[in-house]
Amino acid sequence: MTSHAIATALNVVQTSHSYGDFMLVAKASMSKQENPTLYTVEMASVESTFHLSSLEAVDFLDTFLSMNPDSSGHVKIQDFLRVLRLKDCNLSEKIFGFLDVENKGKITFKQFLLGSAHVLKQPLFRPTCELAFAEWHTVKNHYVSEEVFGDSIRQAIPNLDGYEVHELFKLFDTDGDGRMSKDDFISCLRRNPLLIELFSRQLMHKNLSKSMTGCERRCDELKGQFLAG
């Protein structure tokens, strides 16, 4: 059977491994990880449950590897926050805690992948991204400046200084042109879906117009789904 052949090649127990796991091992090998098989996740099961492609999983692994996992494949909260440009605060710890279900202060790639996929593939994820960006549409030309972005982010993390805002803005300014477009914003959140929590809180506590009350209720429902369990 194909699954048996793949498990044998990866030197792991036969479960739901697929060609996607080969891709993850190859990525980890290219990054000089001590034990690349630590990054297998039984992609057949992940694909079936979350409808997440192997290429998307490899992108998430790229982000995880930038967090400098140790020889056992674990990432600590400090490196998690560094890569996502998050200040160490209650909200950031809550986002990390969504993944660190065992409260060990560190996470595996599988935890990072499954948590990110769970958020990304929620039916309300894209509408929430659209609504979050729509809050800035008073800005000319549909671009968001770093100053406007900073004012918004500080509603979620009040004590961010100018440098911290700048670093987070650079993460969202995916084309590096010094301003954030809607495509930049959504592209960043698709790569880093856990960051949607920075905006869902703002949307839920903002007094929106009557025409948007339905969207507000959807955001409230979304946050409950994201942080449940």
Side-chain angles (χ1 to χ4, degrees), residues 74-77 80 92-108 111-112 115 194 229:
H74 289 86
V75 160
K76 295 181 179 179
I77 186 170
F80 173 85
S92 299
E93 290 177 2
K94 190 173 185 179
I95 293 172
F96 185 79
F98 174 67
L99 306 177
D100 181 20
V101 293
E102 297 176 333
N103 295 315
K104 291 184 175 180
K106 56 186 179 180
I107 56 173
T108 64
Q111 290 173 318
F112 177 72
L194 298 171

Side-chain angles (χ1 to χ4, degrees), residues 25-198:
V25 168
K27 180 68 177 180
S29 297
M30 289 175 60
S31 298
K32 310 297 183 184
Q33 296 302 305
E34 186 173 327
N35 186 357
T37 60
L38 289 172
Y39 302 96
T40 60
V41 294
E42 301 180 43
M43 270 305 299
S45 176
V46 173
E47 290 169 345
S48 174
T49 302
F50 297 106
H51 306 291
L52 189 80
S53 73
S54 296
L55 289 177
E56 287 176 307
V58 170
D59 284 341
F60 281 121
L61 179 57
D62 188 47
T63 299
F64 187 81
L65 293 176
S66 70
M67 298 175 184
N68 295 326
D70 60 24
S71 58
S72 65
H74 289 86
V75 160
K76 295 181 179 179
I77 186 170
Q78 294 87 348
D79 289 313
F80 173 85
L81 299 182
R82 172 182 56 79
V83 169
L84 294 187
R85 319 287 173 87
L86 292 174
K87 186 184 185 75
D88 191 352
C89 64
N90 289 338
L91 179 60
S92 299
E93 290 177 2
K94 190 173 185 179
I95 293 172
F96 185 79
F98 174 67
L99 306 177
D100 181 20
V101 293
E102 297 176 333
N103 295 315
K104 291 184 175 180
K106 56 186 179 180
I107 56 173
T108 64
F109 172 61
K110 189 169 186 178
Q111 290 173 318
F112 177 72
L113 177 68
L114 297 185
S116 297
H118 173 72
V119 174
L120 177 63
K121 298 302 180 176
Q122 290 291 332
L124 292 171
F125 180 77
R126 176 76 185 210
T128 301
C129 294
E130 299 271 359
L131 182 56
F133 193 84
E135 286 297 289
W136 291 313
H137 267 196
T138 56
V139 180
K140 293 182 179 179
N141 301 322
H142 302 294
Y143 285 96
V144 177
S145 69
E146 183 172 329
E147 179 181 2
V148 171
F149 175 81
D151 290 342
S152 177
I153 290 297
R154 287 189 177 101
Q155 295 183 47
I157 307 179
N159 298 320
L160 287 179
D161 60 31
Y163 174 78
E164 290 164 336
V165 169
H166 179 66
E167 288 300 302
L168 191 54
F169 182 78
K170 285 197 301 181
L171 185 67
F172 278 88
D173 178 21
T174 55
D175 60 8
D177 65 355
R179 56 185 185 174
M180 185 177 66
S181 68
K182 181 178 178 180
D183 286 344
D184 289 336
F185 182 69
I186 293 178
S187 176
C188 178
L189 288 176
R190 284 192 60 81
R191 286 186 62 90
N192 306 285
L194 298 171
L195 293 181
I196 192 66
E197 176 62 12
L198 296 175

